[in-house]
């Protein structure tokens, strides 16, 4: 579990940019009393959930199947192209390092971004609606090979400024 009422101490939002993040919001919990409120402040902001440096637990790609979480649309309709998700990885580190260049990526030097409509969410979410989002690593055909999962980010599209919520965020591991 990465988030359920509180953020797992192995993970951090410290590398996020252009987003206001409240991991103890009490207005829209899916279960329990808290969820993470994410409010975009600029075009293409990123809520980057990253593995902290110095953690004792790492997340090898071979053991990680994907990420699962619940997403709430907030006060307005959430279109399926408003957000994109990206899994980040490293060949040198078991944690997120901002200047890590150990993974050879495409010409743009990015991991692939996946919109909600590629995750079987095939229509806009009405206001205040929860939906489960599952991002399987094997469904990301354009991602380069890497040894360790080091982060997940959610990026907003241009002009999208609506607060949305996530809860019950888990790393899905192979047994």
């Amino acid at each position: 579990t990465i988030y359920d009422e509180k953020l797992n101490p192995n993970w951090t939002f410290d590398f996020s940019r252009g987003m206001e993040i409240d991991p103890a919001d009490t207005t829209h919990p899916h279960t329990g009393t808290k969820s993470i409120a994410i409010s975009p402040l600029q075009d293409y902001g990123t809520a980057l959930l990253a593995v902290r440096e110095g953690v004792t637990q790492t997340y090898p790609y071979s053991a990680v199947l994907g990420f699962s979480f619940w997403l709430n649309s907030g006060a307005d309709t959430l279109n399926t192209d408003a957000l994109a998700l990206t899994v980040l990885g490293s060949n040198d580190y078991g944690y997120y390092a901002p200047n890590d260049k150990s993974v050879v990526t495409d010409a743009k030097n990015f991991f692939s971004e996946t919109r909600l409509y590629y995750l079987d969410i095939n229509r806009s979410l009405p206001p205040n609606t929860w939906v489960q989002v599952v991002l399987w690593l094997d469904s990301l055909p354009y991602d380069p090979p890497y040894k360790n999962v080091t982060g997940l980010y959610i990026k907003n599209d241009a002009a999208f400024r609506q607060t949305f919520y996530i809860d019950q965020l888990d790393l899905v591991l192979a047994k």
Side-chain angles (χ1 to χ4, degrees):
T1 298
I2 298 171
Y3 181 88
D4 186 15
E5 297 294 303
K6 64 180 181 174
L7 192 59
N8 179 314
N10 288 337
W11 295 79
T12 182
F13 277 109
D14 289 351
F15 298 100
S16 299
R17 63 171 185 77
M19 297 276 199
E20 182 178 313
I21 301 168
D22 179 1
D25 182 81
T26 59
T27 61
H28 284 85
H30 180 253
T31 61
T33 60
K34 298 175 188 166
S35 65
I36 303 169
I38 302 174
S39 302
L41 303 174
Q42 66 185 44
D43 291 350
Y44 312 112
T46 55
L48 173 52
L49 186 58
V51 178
R52 290 182 183 275
E53 184 175 0
V55 298
T56 55
Q57 182 176 7
T58 59
Y59 306 95
Y61 178 89
S62 61
V64 176
L65 299 175
F67 288 86
S68 172
F69 62 92
W70 286 85
L71 170 69
N72 183 287
S73 52
D76 295 312
T77 298
L78 178 65
N79 294 323
T80 59
D81 61 354
L83 301 173
L85 286 74
T86 300
V87 176
L88 300 174
S90 175
N91 286 322
D92 290 343
Y93 306 103
Y95 58 88
Y96 177 76
N99 296 316
D100 180 13
K101 303 285 187 220
S102 67
V103 177
V104 178
T105 59
D106 65 14
K108 296 178 186 174
N109 202 30
F110 289 109
F111 286 81
S112 62
E113 293 183 344
T114 304
R115 300 282 181 165
L116 296 175
Y117 51 78
Y118 286 120
L119 300 172
D120 294 330
I121 300 172
N122 24 357
R123 60 186 168 121
S124 297
L125 300 178
N128 298 310
T129 299
W130 284 101
V131 63
Q132 187 173 23
V133 176
V134 181
L135 177 61
W136 299 110
L137 296 187
D138 287 346
S139 71
L140 305 173
Y142 303 108
D143 279 359
Y146 54 92
K147 293 179 185 173
N148 296 297
V149 173
T150 60
L152 169 74
Y153 75 67
I154 302 173
K155 180 178 182 179
N156 66 298
D157 205 4
F160 180 78
R161 297 292 188 280
Q162 163 182 332
T163 299
F164 60 95
Y165 304 85
I166 61 174
D167 201 355
Q168 296 175 282
L169 194 145
D170 294 308
L171 203 56
V172 181
L173 302 173
K175 290 189 177 197

